[in-house]
Amino acid sequence: MARAYTPKVLTANRLLEGDVIYYGTNDDWVLAHDEALYLTDEVQANDLLAAAHKQAGFLVGAYLADAILEDGKPVPTHFREDFRTRGPSNYDHGKQAEV
Amino acid sequence: MYSYNEFDKDFIQNRVHQFRAQVERRVDGSLTEDEFKPLRLMNGLYLQLHAYMLRVAIPYGTLNGAKMRQLAFIADKWDKGYGHFTTRQNIQYNWPKLSDVPDMLQALADVDMHAIQTSGNCIRNVTADHFAGAAADEVEDPRPTAELLRQWSTDHPEFAFLGRKFKFAVTGSENDRAVIKAHDVGLRVVRNQTGEIGYEVIIGGGLGRTPMIGKVLREFLPRADLLPYCEAIMQVYNALGRRDNKYKARIKITVHENGIEKIKELVEERFIVQREAFGGYDQVLFADIKAAFAAPDYINAYTDGFEASVKTDPALRSFVDTNLSQHKKSDYAIVTISIKKHGQTPGDATSDQMRVMADLAEKYGHDELRISHEQNVILPHVHKSHIPAIYAELRKVELATANIGLISDIIACPGMDYCALATARSIPIAQQIATRFDELKLENDIGELKIKISGCINACGHHHVGHIGILGLDRAGVESYQITLGGDGTQTATIGKSAGRGFSYSEIVPAIERLVYAYLDIRQNTEETFLETYRRLGLEPFKAALYPETRIAAE
């Protein structure tokens, strides 16, 4: 039996600023992980990833990251992705200071 | 200090222009990311977890007040007001925007600095003893040699696309403060029996996933043979080094797989050919470079005031006892400024702190500063009469922490707080250890103890050569920290041994505390250092402290 698809969010870094972005629910790119489109369909996820790779003038390094749904919002399952939603732990720099 | 000539200036200025055009072409879509990435890496620009990172070269860790002040200016104008000094004697900016980087490189070029060859599979920024030119135990200042290597290796067409990165380190002293045995090539300036100066050449050292201590390739290489010999090493490595597997591509693996004797034979063979190609101009150049590193005009002054101040001011005395090293002139001292205030990020200096260090160098330090691989800043030439004034100024900007060589003087790589390669965080572990032992007020009692933390197997935090090494890993989606013990990065270089299973993020600091208490219990006397106790007793008593549950089970 085929394994169930692990849900994902689509993420990348912005080309000019380098900061972390997520593919949102309105066919846009957002800064907050909990506003990301929660992808449960593998085909859709791969199509969106392929489309993201073509947006080279806006973003860099797109990939799919595992997520789960909590209170209706996507949450990272791995600590690396969790850190990416916030910024470094030694200063209030990065996303935690801006979002 | 060596000053750039017109050739050097033109070269880095051209690079700024080139990179500006490359960024423009990337932004307008003419270059894909795959095409652009090697170009940005050649100019020190990485994409990290949260932002870009610009790694700026500080050749052999040497800079002056003007350069430090410019680093502060860059931190304020294009970053978040601070910079991170690294174990490669470089500085990293963590928050540049891609479109600002050409301007940052221009600002660097304005003070003869750049980010060239701070990344990529080329010969990287040459590092050296941070006490170079000042140390009492020095045969010769290693920086002219490092500068000669810099000039030879910069944009060297034959070595621009090696199998992997390649790192040179140079020391001029028997006491190795440059970790030369953990570099691809380590050079030590030595004198032979007839008094002639040359080099001991060590090859194939390195940390990372396969840590190795370098092996002696030549016990004595005459000075004039340095460049042809290094070129021969590079050619042998370039031809023989593996390109099929990134993790087996460093020269340490080439040496390990082929044996030092085989490498020696090939290098000596190639050297005979290369020597013919060098017509002696490199030695003319070396003489000029050496003249540029002449000792400063030392001052003559009384030191009575300094000695009196030390007697009456306990805080100053503590600073003097801990942060001063012996200078070759008895009325001078080497002052190490700790960038490790308890609880702060190791190696991070604010722009204000940078400006104070620049001012102090200009006012009291013959305009010289050094960055150490231990992520501190050094005033290498300070007349002792100026130390109370320097200490007072450092206190105002929280740079007077008296902890050099102690448990809170921790090396920590950026780890997963910044680095895209990291598998766990390093910085918060260093912050918590330093804070904890400051609370316990045990630091001075513990004495010399080097903790080094890496956030991944690549070992930028030198954990293999820490007396206590901590390696952060991702174990099934959880941060896990492995401890190694007994490492040593000096002339008696040793790779630390694994103490056993890893500890979680919340367990690691208490584990270090148990380890240190065990040391305090079992040391022979207060003079015996942690490393000496470890060497005397081995892993077992420390393992028992780290894993008390195992001991209970055995009982």
Side-chain angles (χ1 to χ4, degrees):
Chain A
M1 202 174 83
R3 285 180 66 176
Y5 183 64
T6 311
K8 305 279 194 283
V9 297
L10 175 59
T11 182
N13 291 72
R14 275 201 290 201
L15 174 66
L16 290 182
E17 290 80 5
D19 57 347
V20 177
I21 48 175
Y22 303 95
Y23 184 74
T25 52
N26 297 317
D27 189 27
D28 54 356
W29 290 88
V30 296
L31 291 171
H33 189 280
D34 60 9
E35 294 172 12
L37 179 64
Y38 186 63
L39 296 162
T40 53
D41 182 86
E42 186 170 7
V43 174
Q44 184 198 10
N46 289 338
D47 285 350
L48 286 171
L49 178 63
H53 284 314
K54 290 180 183 160
Q55 298 184 48
F58 174 69
L59 56 82
V60 59
Y63 64 94
L64 296 163
D66 288 349
I68 52 168
L69 218 51
E70 278 183 15
D71 298 330
K73 291 181 175 175
V75 174
T77 58
H78 191 279
F79 62 89
R80 183 181 195 271
E81 291 306 319
D82 188 31
F83 297 153
R84 284 181 82 242
T85 68
R86 295 197 302 268
S89 52
N90 58 336
Y91 304 114
D92 284 341
H93 287 167
K95 194 162 284 185
Q96 65 204 32
E98 292 159 11
V99 175
Chain B
M1 195 193 322
Y2 177 77
S3 296
Y4 274 11
N5 59 27
E6 289 309 305
F7 177 85
D8 295 311
K9 285 176 189 288
D10 284 351
F11 173 69
I12 60 167
Q13 192 58 62
N14 283 335
R15 263 302 183 90
V16 175
H17 294 324
Q18 281 171 6
F19 192 64
R20 191 180 294 281
Q22 288 159 356
V23 170
E24 283 169 9
R25 295 209 300 281
R26 174 66 183 94
V27 173
D28 74 17
S30 310
L31 289 175
T32 65
E33 183 60 21
D34 285 348
E35 289 165 333
F36 179 65
K37 189 177 175 185
L39 300 173
R40 68 167 160 80
L41 289 176
M42 279 181 194
N43 292 285
L45 186 63
Y46 289 72
L47 182 62
Q48 298 284 64
L49 272 191
H50 311 293
Y52 287 97
M53 179 272 281
L54 182 67
R55 181 182 293 157
V56 176
I58 302 175
Y60 32 91
T62 293
L63 67 171
N64 59 17
K67 289 180 178 180
M68 183 67 104
R69 203 168 282 115
Q70 191 76 336
L71 295 178
F73 169 75
I74 290 169
D76 280 339
K77 180 151 187 182
W78 293 292
D79 208 90
K80 292 186 188 284
Y82 71 101
H84 177 73
F85 292 110
T86 77
T87 54
R88 296 275 309 140
Q89 298 180 302
N90 291 321
I91 185 168
Q92 296 182 171
Y93 293 105
N94 287 319
W95 304 99
K97 291 186 170 55
L98 177 61
S99 46
D100 288 337
V101 174
D103 289 340
M104 296 170 81
L105 295 181
Q106 182 61 60
L108 290 167
D110 290 345
V111 291
D112 298 346
M113 295 182 80
H114 59 79
I116 297 166
Q117 288 179 214
T118 59
S119 175
N121 291 339
C122 54
I123 298 175
R124 299 286 187 90
N125 184 35
V126 178
T127 54
D129 181 357
H130 44 265
F131 290 171
D137 58 358
E138 192 168 83
V139 172
E140 182 188 79
D141 186 341
R143 289 174 305 158
T145 297
E147 173 59 23
L148 184 71
L149 289 167
R150 183 195 71 80
Q151 295 193 16
W152 161 75
S153 62
T154 298
D155 223 22
H156 194 307
E158 194 176 345
F159 309 131
F161 296 96
L162 297 166
R164 200 75 179 86
K165 58 188 169 183
F166 203 98
K167 298 172 182 175
F168 280 81
V170 194
T171 182
S173 301
E174 173 67 33
N175 295 308
D176 179 11
R177 290 173 288 262
V179 207
I180 63 166
K181 290 181 180 175
H183 281 76
D184 296 287
V185 170
L187 298 170
R188 187 164 67 89
V189 184
V190 291
R191 223 182 266 281
N192 70 4
Q193 286 169 335
T194 63
E196 182 192 354
I197 284 189
Y199 303 96
E200 180 186 37
V201 182
I202 292 164
I203 187 174
L207 300 175
R209 69 180 58 217
T210 319
M212 290 191 187
I213 299 298
K215 299 174 177 70
V216 177
L217 189 66
R218 259 285 194 112
E219 283 183 8
F220 185 83
L221 179 74
R223 159 154 292 155
D225 293 338
L226 179 68
L227 290 190
Y229 197 79
C230 287
E231 205 149 294
I233 292 171
M234 298 308 300
Q235 289 180 344
V236 168
Y237 165 61
N238 218 359
L240 209 60
R242 287 176 58 171
R243 289 172 191 262
D244 62 321
N245 182 341
K246 179 183 175 185
Y247 303 118
K248 295 185 185 298
R250 296 290 288 268
I251 198 174
K252 61 188 173 187
I253 305 293
T254 318
V255 173
H256 180 69
E257 289 184 348
N258 292 276
I260 186 74
E261 290 308 318
K262 175 74 177 169
I263 298 291
K264 194 179 285 186
E265 188 186 307
L266 291 170
V267 168
E268 295 293 339
E269 211 172 84
R270 196 62 219 162
F271 165 59
I272 291 166
V273 179
Q274 287 310 115
R275 190 160 54 175
E276 294 303 312
F278 280 78
Y281 181 70
D282 56 317
Q283 290 308 296
V284 176
L285 192 61
F286 183 77
D288 288 347
I289 292 170
K290 201 170 174 191
F293 286 98
D297 292 327
Y298 294 119
I299 62 165
N300 286 310
Y302 292 109
T303 57
D304 309 14
F306 162 69
E307 282 144 17
S309 298
V310 169
K311 276 183 191 156
T312 54
D313 181 347
L316 174 64
R317 186 160 65 241
S318 172
F319 179 80
V320 166
D321 286 346
T322 313
N323 294 37
L324 264 57
S325 302
Q326 196 184 350
H327 193 278
K328 60 187 174 189
K329 273 181 66 64
S330 61
D331 54 347
Y332 269 68
I334 301 167
V335 177
T336 299
I337 301 168
S338 172
I339 314 296
K340 314 273 183 70
K341 182 173 184 285
H342 300 101
Q344 298 297 310
T345 302
D348 276 10
T350 66
S351 54
D352 285 342
Q353 290 175 325
M354 290 184 215
R355 277 185 283 271
V356 167
M357 292 188 281
D359 291 346
L360 291 174
E362 288 170 350
K363 193 169 179 186
Y364 301 115
H366 299 277
D367 201 16
E368 286 217 29
L369 288 155
R370 306 287 165 71
I371 310 303
S372 76
H373 79 270
E374 292 176 320
Q375 301 180 282
N376 290 311
V377 178
I378 285 124
L379 293 165
H381 305 291
V382 175
H383 191 271
K384 287 179 179 171
S385 61
H386 293 145
I387 286 168
I390 288 172
Y391 177 68
E393 291 301 313
L394 290 174
R395 278 185 74 138
K396 291 179 192 167
V397 288
E398 302 192 325
L399 283 174
T401 308
N403 64 347
I404 297 303
L406 303 180
I407 193 168
S408 61
D409 184 10
I410 298 170
I411 289 182
C413 74
M416 204 182 271
D417 286 305
Y418 297 91
C419 179
L421 299 175
T423 46
R425 287 172 292 176
S426 307
I427 290 168
I429 305 296
Q431 291 174 303
Q432 288 167 37
I433 292 172
T435 303
R436 179 64 185 147
F437 283 93
D438 189 41
E439 286 166 358
L440 293 170
K441 298 294 166 212
L442 277 175
E443 190 158 41
N444 286 302
D445 188 19
I446 296 162
E448 186 189 349
L449 177 48
K450 291 181 188 291
I451 296 183
K452 300 178 197 280
I453 309 174
S454 302
C456 81
I457 196 82
N458 293 311
C460 295
H462 294 188
H463 65 277
H464 296 295
V465 292
H467 301 167
I468 298 174
I470 300 174
L471 166 62
L473 295 169
D474 173 353
R475 287 280 183 250
V478 178
E479 288 171 292
S480 174
Y481 295 88
Q482 288 188 346
I483 293 176
T484 51
L485 294 173
D488 173 6
T490 70
Q491 62 283 358
T492 47
T494 312
I495 303 295
K497 285 188 179 160
S498 173
R501 69 160 178 84
F503 295 88
S504 71
Y505 184 80
S506 60
E507 290 171 339
I508 183 66
V509 178
I512 297 298
E513 195 175 322
R514 291 199 297 281
L515 199 57
V516 171
Y517 273 116
Y519 154 67
L520 292 174
D521 283 347
I522 60 180
R523 66 182 175 184
Q524 280 182 318
N525 52 55
T526 56
E527 301 300 308
E528 190 179 58
T529 64
F530 180 92
L531 188 59
E532 287 164 348
T533 303
Y534 171 83
R535 284 180 171 164
R536 179 169 58 83
L537 297 172
L539 267 176
E540 287 313 314
F542 295 103
K543 281 177 87 161
L546 280 174
Y547 308 104
E549 68 281 5
T550 313
R551 191 178 52 192
I552 291 162
E555 284 165 1

